[in-house]
Amino acid sequence: MLVRFCRRAFFVGSAATLLCAGTARAQERFITLASTTSTEQSGLFDHILPIFQKQSGITVRVVALGTGQALAIGARGDADALLVHDRLGEDKFVADGNGIDRRDVMFNDFVLVGPKADPAHVRGLKNASEALTRIASAHAAFASRGDDSGTNRLELRLWRAAGIDVQKAGGGWYRELGSGMGATLNTSAALNAYTLTDRATWAAFANRQALEILLEGEPGFVQSVWQHSRQSAEIPKCESR
Amino acid sequence: MQDFADAFALALNLIGSRDPDLWAAVLLSLQVSLSASLMAFLVGAPLGAYLAVRPFAGRSAVLVLVNALLGLPPVVVGLAVYILLSQSGPLGGLRLLFTPLAMILAQTLLTLPIVIALTHRATAGFWERFGDSLTVDGASRARSVSILLTMARAGLVTAYLAAFGRAIAEVGAIMMVGGNIRGYTRTMTAAIALETSKGNLALALALGLILISLALAVSAGAFLFGRRR
């Protein structure tokens, strides 16, 4: 009897989930916001989205992606608004007719984190170029996002400014991870590697182990400005939205 | 080992708590994976048995293809479904992208080859033994398929569970087409990936333990379902 009941319950359960999924498409009004991962991880949305929803009656569905991917899905019409940080990519996005109304919304600064032991002696330096030069000459492990994110692009600009070609830097100290900020911080903590991170992700990051901020407040670290581009209503495929 | 102990305690705490995010993720994971594996099963099991019944031209090629698709990379399925459902894609008009239905679709495609291949494997032996008698009795192809499926019931449970297991454990495809939207398309696996990236390793592991318990419950349910009366 128990077996028979379980059988029926299992089948009904499966059928019911199928049915629920079929009707799960919410009837509420919503917009889709493609945002960089670090903004979501900073906890900002938890604070502002309920307020926005109360005022406007519109639900915001946040899809957290890297800047490159967010721009790509925005160009395909899959997001109504973007929150990204790569000025060059944004300008191209708007110039290509993919979006309108680009605005500066906020800024985030970057910090260089590394092991407390600081084998390359960068603590207390005031200059990013000097710090990167010391890391390179000490062959101290450095973890790079390597994912063409806004943070990665900034990091590569800083290496160029320091006159170091990381692609040719031998010795295996420069590791390109191809990962998001959180995964890169996890790896850095495990490798005792230096890495460049935005302050918001760092502030919310729990697995720091021996990592700590070694360099901050460098003028070159505050150049990232976060922007907001709204989808153009002129894109035919977006008109139905 | 402290990490595992912490995770275990945290998992128990979480289960006791009424954290709405957790329960939303649990329900969604079950909803998506059960639906996807069920659909894959309903379509795939008859196809698998059909492949076991009477050869036809190109059957070997189909079998090789289906077996190769067992190794279908989730991220590729996710990408393909994303492109299909994108506003710029052929099915963009359905506006399914970043919804649970999109996740179900991706996981159905992902698990379909598993059901077909395992059902074929489970029924082929029975066909070898009883195929001739069925043919002599004049059973039609459809009738043979249905008889084979009844015979191979135990193997079908395995096929279903393998499909469900792949679906509930999967994260690459559903993150891509579901968008990992909190409270709407964030499954357990997506939550685990997210907490890991935030460095909350104990919490991530605790979610993993809960997910494994879920799989255990479904496996037990399927076991009872598949047992002969």
Side-chain angles (χ1 to χ4, degrees), chain A residues 7 25 46 76 78 182 186, chain B residues 82 87-88 182 196 227:
Chain A
R7 264 178 204 155
R25 293 194 61 197
D46 294 344
R76 297 180 63 90
D78 295 326
N186 275 328
Chain B
Y82 166 74
Q87 285 291 313
S88 311
R182 180 177 170 184
T196 304
R227 217 156 70 170

Side-chain angles (χ1 to χ4, degrees), chain B residues 8-25:
Chain B
F8 200 74
L10 201 54
L12 290 178
N13 263 335
L14 275 175
I15 294 170
S17 79
R18 307 236 160 126
D19 181 357
D21 276 354
L22 173 71
W23 293 113

Side-chain angles (χ1 to χ4, degrees), chain A residues 112-173:
Chain A
L112 182 71
V113 302
K116 281 191 183 73
D118 192 17
H121 306 291
V122 303
R123 194 197 316 267
L125 289 179
K126 289 277 166 270
N127 180 298
S129 288
E130 172 67 15
L132 293 183
T133 309
R134 286 196 190 183
I135 290 171
S137 53
H139 281 203
F142 185 95
S144 165
R145 297 259 309 250
D147 63 349
D148 197 30
S149 57
T151 307
N152 186 218
R153 289 178 185 184
L154 172 66
E155 178 221 313
L156 293 176
R157 279 200 293 276
L158 290 171
W159 284 113
R160 270 200 300 278
I164 296 161
D165 185 348
V166 286
Q167 295 306 325
K168 289 191 182 138
W173 58 273

Side-chain angles (χ1 to χ4, degrees), chain B residues 54-96:
Chain B
R54 288 171 219 173
F56 56 90
R59 181 172 74 162
S60 304
V62 172
L63 282 174
V64 167
L65 178 70
V66 165
N67 280 292
L69 291 180
L70 290 177
L72 209 54
V75 71
V76 174
V77 174
L79 185 59
V81 173
Y82 166 74
I83 289 171
L84 278 179
L85 297 182
S86 164
Q87 285 291 313
S88 311
L91 302 179
L94 299 176
R95 296 174 68 187
L96 286 179

Side-chain angles (χ1 to χ4, degrees), chain A residues 60-138:
Chain A
V60 180
R61 293 184 181 164
V62 179
V63 180
L65 306 160
T67 288
Q69 200 183 349
L71 288 170
I73 75 159
R76 297 180 63 90
D78 295 326
D80 303 304
L82 307 179
L83 198 55
V84 292
H85 64 138
D86 174 45
R87 184 58 200 260
L88 296 176
E90 289 155 26
D91 286 345
K92 183 169 184 305
F93 187 82
V94 175
D96 289 349
N98 290 318
I100 54 167
D101 197 13
R102 195 194 65 79
R103 295 182 195 198
D104 295 353
V105 174
M106 55 187 154
F107 68 88
N108 187 4
D109 73 324
F110 289 82
V111 294
L112 182 71
V113 302
K116 281 191 183 73
D118 192 17
H121 306 291
V122 303
R123 194 197 316 267
L125 289 179
K126 289 277 166 270
N127 180 298
S129 288
E130 172 67 15
L132 293 183
T133 309
R134 286 196 190 183
I135 290 171
S137 53

